[in-house]
Amino acid sequence: MTDSNAADDNWLIDEDEDELPASGLGAPDQRLWRVLIVDDDVDVHAVTRLALRNVSFKGRELELFSAYSGREAFDILRDTPDVALVLLDVVMETDDAGLILARRIREELHNAIVRVVLRTGQPGQAPEQRVIIEYDINDYKAKTELTTQKLFTTVISALRAYESLNMLERSRVGLGKILAGATNLYQIHSLREFASGVLNQVSAILDVGSDGVLCLMQGDTGVTTVVAATGHYSALNEAELMPAAHPLWPTIAKAFAEKKSQFEHPANVLFIHTQENREVAISVTPPWPLAQIQRDLLEVFCQRIAAAFDNLYMFGQLRKAQEATVVALADLAEFRDSGTGGHVRRVQMLSSSLAQRLHERGAYADEVTPQLLEMIGLASILHDVGKVATPDHILLKPGIHTPEERAEMQTHAAVGRTILERAANMVDGVSYLTYGAEIAGGHHEHWDGNGYPNQLKERAIPIAARIVAVVDVFDSLLHERPYKEPWPHTEAVNYIRDRAGKQFDPEVVAALLDMIERDPTVGRTPD
């Protein structure tokens, strides 16, 4: 219902309009303070808008929304983010519509930050003391006492309180994102993926778009490498070095020169120095100047990033050492069996591709894990490492082996598995050596259980071994050995196809045939 008291007609008395602050347009990229006027009287909306037409706070003007009932106001608050203040009438479609809305804001929308100021032309309908105690509102005004100046004071006080609460909430959320983000960053191995993750986390903390650039300088070389770029700056991913003509470069260069972060809106550069003598600059361009609390949060995050960069470097070094160890073991085995030529390298590449194709086909989703996809290629080169224990007169024999020699030759699978399992057990978790042990011990097992050394059958054979089993035989057939000439490609493919379900896993064979159908040169050695 519409308030009808005669006093309502002059509820907004213009005390001294000259005392209103002059209109101050904020920068065009500034957000506006959102204020919702809730009243069923059209004239109240018009007069309120007139009174607040020139009001601004901290360089930001007001954006006014209007609702003419409690239900309409609830929908606006539900669908419109960042409403700072609600100027709320009590008596509208019902005598307590405003009070019901005040309760719904807190209890249904769970919005504890928006400031709610009750304005009523009928104080008797909602006594101030009872309302203040029973409802989570922030101020109570009779319309008769709201002059232009007092309305201005009420609005500015509410906006100031909203800003403080909003910053506290952003701080809480931002710190949570820092903790979660730092944890996620430690799980990323690739430097470019890591850098992209950093940019995304910074954007999340700022609660803005993902436009950013991460640059890296090694020592004091002055050479600035673009490691990652997102959003509007994605084109910089194609540039190895940061272009000197780029608009962000002056601020980035200043950060490197002064060795501290720069906040020169719209360019903001976070400077990070790591213990490994690397300097990192992260440049972001949010659409509004960063508040001090956002700067403080980013500085805290930068400390976490510095530690993450150092850990990433150490992880990379350990990984390189592990890879070098694997390669050395494979080279040792191949050194004695010079007739295999580049067999292990071809097995490495084809095993990795075949595992990826299995993944794309959706086969064995529980076994073809991201970890397997990452490690199977390098681990596969260890498949014959057990041959280091095979006597030369058997290993290098150009002709057919006798049954006794064949039995001796077959021991290399168990020997390889034993050697690699012993090494893998010295490392926590799953490593290249773990998969290498599975491959060395299982790549001569057969799908039907007639292989060696343990006559494993079907999925009892590790998936890595089932993949390498196909690749090892396929490559061996296609290339010369001391005891055989290379097979034609078609015959080698037919052999693999015919042995599916007997020697080889049918799904793995199907994936290989799929690869060959797409690219008939698979397995061939380039001329």
Side-chain angles (χ1 to χ4, degrees):
M1 67 184 272
T2 304
D3 296 340
S4 57
N5 286 0
D8 291 354
D9 294 335
N10 61 353
W11 68 271
L12 195 62
I13 303 171
D14 202 354
E15 270 187 347
D16 188 356
E17 193 166 330
D18 293 338
E19 293 183 8
L20 280 172
S23 174
L25 286 175
D29 57 0
Q30 289 280 7
R31 289 175 292 180
L32 304 178
W33 298 107
R34 290 179 165 177
V35 177
L36 174 62
I37 306 167
V38 187
D39 202 298
D40 61 350
D41 190 336
V42 175
D43 291 338
V44 170
H45 288 266
V47 176
T48 303
R49 286 177 175 275
L50 180 64
L52 299 179
R53 68 189 184 280
N54 292 326
V55 173
S56 67
F57 175 57
K58 292 193 173 182
R60 293 164 60 181
E61 291 187 316
L62 307 186
E63 182 181 9
L64 301 178
F65 295 80
S66 287
Y68 298 90
S69 69
R71 289 186 294 272
E72 183 183 357
F74 181 84
D75 292 340
I76 292 175
L77 287 165
R78 180 192 60 207
D79 301 332
T80 308
D82 300 328
V83 174
L85 169 62
V86 179
L87 297 172
L88 178 59
D89 189 18
V90 175
V91 182
M92 292 179 287
E93 67 266 39
T94 63
D95 289 348
D96 60 351
L99 298 178
I100 292 173
L101 175 61
R103 180 158 287 164
R104 294 185 74 192
I105 290 172
R106 306 305 190 196
E107 295 180 0
E108 294 184 36
L109 296 179
H110 305 290
N111 188 340
I113 296 179
V114 63
R115 302 294 84 194
V116 179
V117 175
L118 279 185
R119 301 188 303 178
T120 181
Q122 302 179 32
Q125 286 291 122
E128 182 174 352
Q129 288 187 359
R130 180 178 69 82
V131 169
I132 287 292
I133 290 174
E134 294 182 6
Y135 295 87
D136 185 3
I137 63 172
N138 307 106
D139 206 349
Y140 182 106
K141 299 291 184 184
K143 291 181 179 179
T144 53
E145 66 176 303
L146 270 179
T147 63
T148 299
Q149 185 59 47
K150 288 183 178 178
L151 178 63
F152 169 78
T153 301
T154 298
V155 169
I156 297 302
S157 298
L159 294 181
R160 182 175 285 114
Y162 172 81
E163 181 187 41
S164 298
L165 290 172
N166 196 42
M167 284 296 101
L168 286 173
E169 177 63 13
R170 285 182 179 274
S171 177
R172 181 188 68 80
V173 173
L175 286 172
K177 288 178 177 177
I178 287 174
L179 294 175
T183 301
N184 291 337
L185 292 176
Y186 286 112
Q187 299 173 358
I188 301 174
H189 303 331
S190 164
L191 182 58
R192 287 194 178 274
E193 290 179 3
F194 175 85
S196 295
V198 169
L199 291 175
N200 288 330
Q201 291 295 340
V202 168
S203 298
I205 292 170
L206 295 178
D207 193 22
V208 296
S210 58
D211 298 337
V213 181
L214 188 148
C215 298
L216 179 67
M217 182 184 291
Q218 182 67 47
D220 296 321
T221 61
V223 178
T224 305
T225 304
V226 176
V227 182
T230 57
H232 292 312
Y233 303 118
S234 296
L236 287 173
N237 285 315
E238 306 300 322
E240 182 179 351
L241 303 180
M242 185 68 188
H246 195 278
L248 294 178
W249 173 244
T251 312
I252 293 174
K254 185 177 180 182
F256 280 131
E258 297 183 2
K259 300 189 183 304
K260 66 177 184 180
S261 298
Q262 306 291 323
F263 297 101
E264 301 176 356
H265 183 68
N268 299 273
V269 178
L270 309 174
F271 176 79
I272 304 167
H273 186 273
T274 75
Q275 293 182 357
E276 297 296 333
N277 199 29
R278 293 183 174 190
E279 293 181 349
V280 180
I282 302 172
S283 180
V284 291
T285 52
W288 49 81
L290 299 179
Q292 186 60 48
I293 194 167
Q294 290 174 307
R295 297 184 185 186
D296 294 341
L297 284 170
L298 289 174
E299 293 291 355
V300 172
F301 191 50
C302 285
Q303 297 173 13
R304 304 297 297 170
I305 295 172
F309 259 104
D310 287 334
N311 285 350
L312 183 66
Y313 174 78
M314 293 174 62
F315 177 86
Q317 292 301 104
L318 289 173
R319 181 170 177 168
K320 287 179 181 178
Q322 190 179 62
E323 290 176 358
T325 301
V326 170
V327 172
L329 285 170
D331 286 346
L332 178 64
E334 194 174 41
F335 178 77
R336 295 182 62 238
D337 190 7
S338 57
T340 59
H343 172 66
V344 294
R345 295 300 184 186
R346 294 191 298 271
V347 168
Q348 176 185 3
M349 291 185 290
L350 189 51
S351 295
S352 183
S353 299
L354 185 52
Q356 183 61 41
R357 187 69 199 119
L358 274 172
H359 172 68
E360 292 168 357
R361 289 167 57 90
Y364 303 130
D366 58 328
E367 294 181 276
V368 185
T369 62
Q371 195 174 47
L372 174 84
L373 294 173
E374 178 186 356
M375 294 187 177
I376 187 171
L378 196 61
S380 71
I381 71 176
L382 295 172
H383 66 281
D384 277 340
V385 73
K387 288 183 178 179
V388 295
T390 305
D392 284 350
H393 73 276
I394 296 176
L395 180 66
L396 305 179
K397 183 177 180 179
I400 302 297
H401 290 117
T402 66
E404 293 77 13
E405 291 171 338
R406 185 179 304 109
E408 179 71 23
M409 187 75 171
Q410 290 178 353
T411 62
H412 81 276
V415 170
R417 183 187 63 226
T418 301
I419 292 172
L420 295 175
E421 280 182 347
R422 188 180 299 128
N425 289 335
M426 299 174 66
V427 181
D428 289 338
V430 177
S431 67
Y432 295 107
L433 298 174
T434 307
Y435 285 113
E438 292 180 353
I439 292 168
H443 74 291
H444 286 297
E445 301 285 2
H446 289 189
W447 183 255
D448 61 8
N450 290 319
Y452 67 86
N454 296 314
Q455 291 75 52
L456 298 180
K457 187 176 182 181
E458 298 183 358
R459 293 185 68 171
I461 309 167
I463 182 63
R466 302 195 317 260
I467 293 171
V468 174
V470 173
V471 173
D472 181 35
V473 172
F474 185 53
D475 184 79
S476 297
L477 293 175
L478 290 172
H479 295 86
E480 183 180 0
R481 290 297 178 87
Y483 52 85
K484 61 170 278 296
E485 293 296 320
W487 286 27
H489 190 269
T490 302
E491 291 185 21
V493 171
N494 288 337
Y495 179 86
I496 297 295
R497 180 186 291 110
D498 292 343
R499 300 293 294 167
K502 303 170 191 172
Q503 182 175 353
F504 305 125
D505 181 338
E507 280 286 353
V508 176
V509 172
L512 177 64
L513 296 176
D514 190 8
M515 290 173 60
I516 294 171
E517 182 178 353
R518 294 176 175 216
D519 179 7
T521 66
V522 168
R524 297 179 188 269
T525 302
D527 294 333

